[in-house]
Amino acid sequence: MMATTSQTQIIFPQSSSEQGYAFEYLLLRYFQQVRGSTIEHFSTYKHGKDKKWYQIDGLLVNDKRQLLEAKFYQKPVGCREIDPDERLQAAIAFDCDELLLVSLNGFKDDVRSWASSVSLPVRFVEWNEIREDVLESFEGTFTVLLDQVLLEETIATSFSHSKSKLSFSNQLVASSIAGFPEFSVYSDSIELWLRRLRRLADWQEQLTNGQFHYQNTLETVRLLPDKDSYLSLEEAWRIEDAFSGYAARTYGAVRETAQALRNLGGSAVLKAVVQEIHLSFQQDRRPDKRTGDSGVRDSLNALAFMALVQRPVQRGDGYTLTPLGWAYVRGDEPDDQIFRERLTEWLPFRYFRLAIEEYQVPLDKKSIIEWFQTQYAPYEPYARCLFNANKVDGLINWYKQLGF
């Protein structure tokens, strides 16, 4: 039976993409804390026994090994949303006994029909089937990791760690999701830091506890915090935040996008940049690759990560070259050295180079991904390793193309 009111509130992010991740965390924690399952993997990219990379929402172990696929949609989901054949391959690649499909709003007949035709068991779970169990098992305000928090005007306190407190400039105001009053919706950034709240005190302890080391290269002493990986908790969070939204693009594509924006006067909406790139191919009599909106948007975002472009502030605004961006495109060709210098300062690339050049991680995708996953492991699920196959491909290409 559907609950209409509840004393339980679950803090949720606002954007649809982040809501999907949040739902995965919530389900994994529920199956762990209420159903007694072990979480072998939270959401991650993992190399299967078939040598392919898979994005998985989670891997649970109880009396069976289950691959989780979670969908936070406002309507029933089917084969188009789930891509069940790919999920089945992933389940087999990780030796799972069952594919566990969980949906906020149910399933279409096509995916249920598909499930009846495959050899691996498929379990369907709708949120309403476990909703009462969740709400009755917890009372109060919780993050999607099912950590209880106390929200008092402008102060958030973790019940699990009384020293973990977070102050806000203004009193927090939540919105809701129609039909699901148990979800208290905040901006993505606020939800993220409330989810991290329990570990804030650990960040503080790392900053004040450790060993002093004299560094010959700098002729100074610095405090190396006590930590279980090469990354501190703060570094793991800062890298995660800086890497969010990045998608691989070749450096050549990024250069062409910057030139197109310059040709348009330094500010233009996405469609105009796409058209300008296609026009430049025609004028130069080069084969037109017909780069689409998504690819050009990724190139513009890459320029934004380097502080060469300002993203639109609101719908209808264009992408705009920054003063440094104008310096980058001032000549007949973009100044690669400016991009290289900015890239050197960008946290994900800085730590990528550190892994390669200081810790001798081989310059191959599998080794790099697994190294960073190992560094993030002590902080999961409070920090999320974003070094996946696509992003690492992009970093490797830039590393080679820009002569590091």
Side-chain angles (χ1 to χ4, degrees), residues 242-303:
F243 219 7
S244 180
Y246 169 79
R249 293 293 287 164
T250 65
Y251 180 56
V254 174
R255 290 173 99 252
E256 288 171 351
T257 303
Q259 286 177 298
L261 192 56
R262 177 197 63 187
N263 295 342
L264 292 166
S267 183
V269 296
L270 176 64
K271 287 289 186 184
V273 180
V274 173
Q275 292 170 0
E276 178 64 24
I277 290 173
H278 292 163
L279 181 61
S280 69
F281 275 101
Q282 294 170 13
Q283 292 174 339
D284 297 340
R285 296 183 178 180
R286 292 180 292 162
D288 192 345
K289 301 175 185 177
R290 304 305 298 176
T291 302
D293 290 7
S294 178
V296 175
R297 184 186 294 107
D298 290 341
S299 291
L300 288 164
N301 284 337
L303 291 163

Side-chain angles (χ1 to χ4, degrees), residues 120-137:
L120 193 75
V122 180
R123 182 184 173 202
F124 293 92
V125 177
E126 299 182 16
W127 174 245
N128 282 336
E129 297 175 36
I130 60 174
R131 187 181 192 182
E132 288 286 353
D133 200 17
V134 173
L135 301 183
E136 290 176 1
S137 299

Side-chain angles (χ1 to χ4, degrees), residues 38 44 199 209 247 267 311 403:
T38 298
T44 188
R199 298 298 300 269
N209 293 281
S267 183
R311 292 189 184 95

Side-chain angles (χ1 to χ4, degrees), residues 294-359:
S294 178
V296 175
R297 184 186 294 107
D298 290 341
S299 291
L300 288 164
N301 284 337
L303 291 163
F305 285 125
M306 301 304 119
L308 303 176
V309 161
Q310 175 68 49
R311 292 189 184 95
V313 175
Q314 57 188 11
R315 186 181 295 274
D317 289 350
Y319 292 84
T320 304
L321 286 170
T322 63
L324 185 60
W326 275 112
Y328 173 56
V329 297
R330 69 181 182 274
D332 293 334
E333 296 285 336
D335 188 336
D336 297 339
Q337 185 58 29
I338 289 179
F339 191 93
R340 193 179 191 277
E341 289 172 358
R342 293 303 306 161
L343 182 60
T344 301
E345 294 302 312
W346 187 45
L347 279 180
F349 191 79
R350 186 195 304 175
Y351 282 89
F352 166 84
R353 285 188 67 196
L354 194 69
I356 302 301
E357 298 171 6
E358 183 168 335
Y359 297 119

Side-chain angles (χ1 to χ4, degrees), residues 157-180:
T157 306
S158 169
F159 270 69
S160 304
H161 200 316
S162 60
K163 292 183 179 179
S164 280
K165 292 191 176 184
L166 182 59
S167 299
F168 293 88
S169 301
N170 301 297
Q171 188 168 348
L172 300 182
V173 178
S175 58
S176 60
I177 299 175
F180 300 94

Side-chain angles (χ1 to χ4, degrees), residues 1-135:
M1 184 173 67
M2 183 181 297
T4 55
T5 60
S6 173
Q7 296 302 309
T8 302
Q9 293 293 301
I10 301 170
I11 299 167
F12 234 67
Q14 193 169 48
S15 71
S16 57
S17 60
E18 289 303 315
Q19 285 180 348
Y21 286 121
F23 194 47
E24 294 164 14
Y25 282 129
L26 174 60
L27 294 170
L28 289 167
R29 282 295 216 191
Y30 163 73
F31 283 113
Q32 178 189 44
Q33 295 192 24
V34 179
R35 299 290 182 91
S37 298
T38 298
I39 302 172
E40 187 169 302
H41 290 289
F42 284 89
S43 177
T44 188
Y45 276 75
K46 190 168 172 59
H47 211 234
K49 66 180 183 181
D50 58 358
K51 309 302 181 185
K52 288 178 58 179
W53 285 98
Y54 294 95
Q55 187 280 323
I56 63 173
D57 292 350
L59 205 160
L60 292 160
V61 180
N62 36 65
D63 56 329
K64 302 174 182 176
R65 285 174 60 83
Q66 298 173 312
L67 184 77
L68 172 69
E69 176 70 10
K71 293 297 179 186
F72 195 85
Y73 281 61
Q74 297 299 318
K75 59 182 181 180
V77 294
C79 291
R80 181 177 179 179
E81 294 81 15
I82 295 173
D83 191 1
D85 289 330
E86 176 75 8
R87 295 299 86 203
L88 180 65
Q89 290 179 28
I92 294 171
F94 301 124
D95 294 318
C96 292
D97 305 301
E98 187 174 72
L99 178 58
L100 175 60
L101 302 180
V102 185
S103 169
L104 178 71
N105 272 301
F107 300 91
K108 295 178 182 177
D109 291 339
D110 64 347
V111 71
R112 292 187 182 274
S113 176
W114 168 87
S116 66
S117 66
V118 296
S119 57
L120 193 75
V122 180
R123 182 184 173 202
F124 293 92
V125 177
E126 299 182 16
W127 174 245
N128 282 336
E129 297 175 36
I130 60 174
R131 187 181 192 182
E132 288 286 353
D133 200 17
V134 173
L135 301 183

